Amino acid sequence: DFADAHAHIGALLMLDEDNLRAAEDELRLATKLDENNEDAWVNLGVVLYKRELYMEAMECYRKAILLNPKNVEVCNNLAVAVHQSGDLTEAAGLCFNAMAIDRDFAEVHNTLAAILADMYRSDKELAIGTAKAWVKHCPKNAIAKHTLAAFSGDAKKEKADDEYVKKLFDGFAESFNKTLAKLEYSVPKLIASRLEKNGGGKKDILDLGCGTGLVGEQIKKYAARMVGVDLSPK
């Protein structure tokens, strides 16, 4: 009957996608034993979101926010879940709530950009108006400025602003490899195959835009020396 123990077991189990149901059981038990266990509610929301049970995830996040209204990460998580449920206006509002807590929290800006991209497809004026409010609230944020410029047709045609790219991929870093795996991303293997066809052999290699090093893993056997460079430190 020790709620924290069940919450910690659930937190460990949720690290493995194959154990999400077991993690859910432990976390539900933790919240039943202690309704004020904020971490258990947050992690239960994450598990339910991963299982695509968005409405249930939203309820867990809302309970966590009631316990700690200043938790910017949970506020962002709730916005993500509401976005998936289809309520773009509420999702955007939740992002502004998160920014009111901490406007420097990078993930919430990525979340709002994704929400507004979907909103733009159905209501351009609302999306542009919301983007303007975002820039007014965070005038130095590169993602906000780029989003508004893109909606208004003012974005540079050559490339996105370096600071925008940096912030975008910093926010994407944690899930980058898993996302590309789901997309069956094959560029690293294609590059390795091309090197092999060209006779292999050791070369000095510069990997521009190396990301997490997916290409490097595939071609390191051909490298006498390899340097990777990326705008995103994370």
Side-chain angles (χ1 to χ4, degrees), residues 50-82:
K50 286 182 176 180
R51 296 191 56 224
E52 299 182 2
L53 299 170
Y54 302 124
M55 301 303 288
E56 291 185 52
M58 286 159 50
E59 288 306 308
C60 293
Y61 291 142
R62 286 195 172 102
K63 287 179 180 177
I65 288 172
L66 287 174
L67 293 169
N68 181 6
K70 297 296 184 182
N71 191 326
V72 64
E73 188 171 353
V74 177
C75 197
N76 178 67
N77 286 357
L78 178 57
V80 171
V82 172

Side-chain angles (χ1 to χ4, degrees), residues 185-201 203 205-210 213-222 226:
Y185 181 67
S186 60
V187 169
K189 289 183 179 178
L190 290 171
I191 292 175
S193 174
R194 188 62 172 265
L195 278 172
E196 190 172 352
K197 287 178 181 177
N198 288 347
K203 298 170 171 58
I205 296 174
L206 175 60
D207 186 355
L208 292 168
C210 62
L214 295 174
V215 172
E217 283 293 316
Q218 293 290 329
I219 66 175
K220 60 185 178 183
K221 63 183 178 181
Y222 303 117
M226 180 157 55

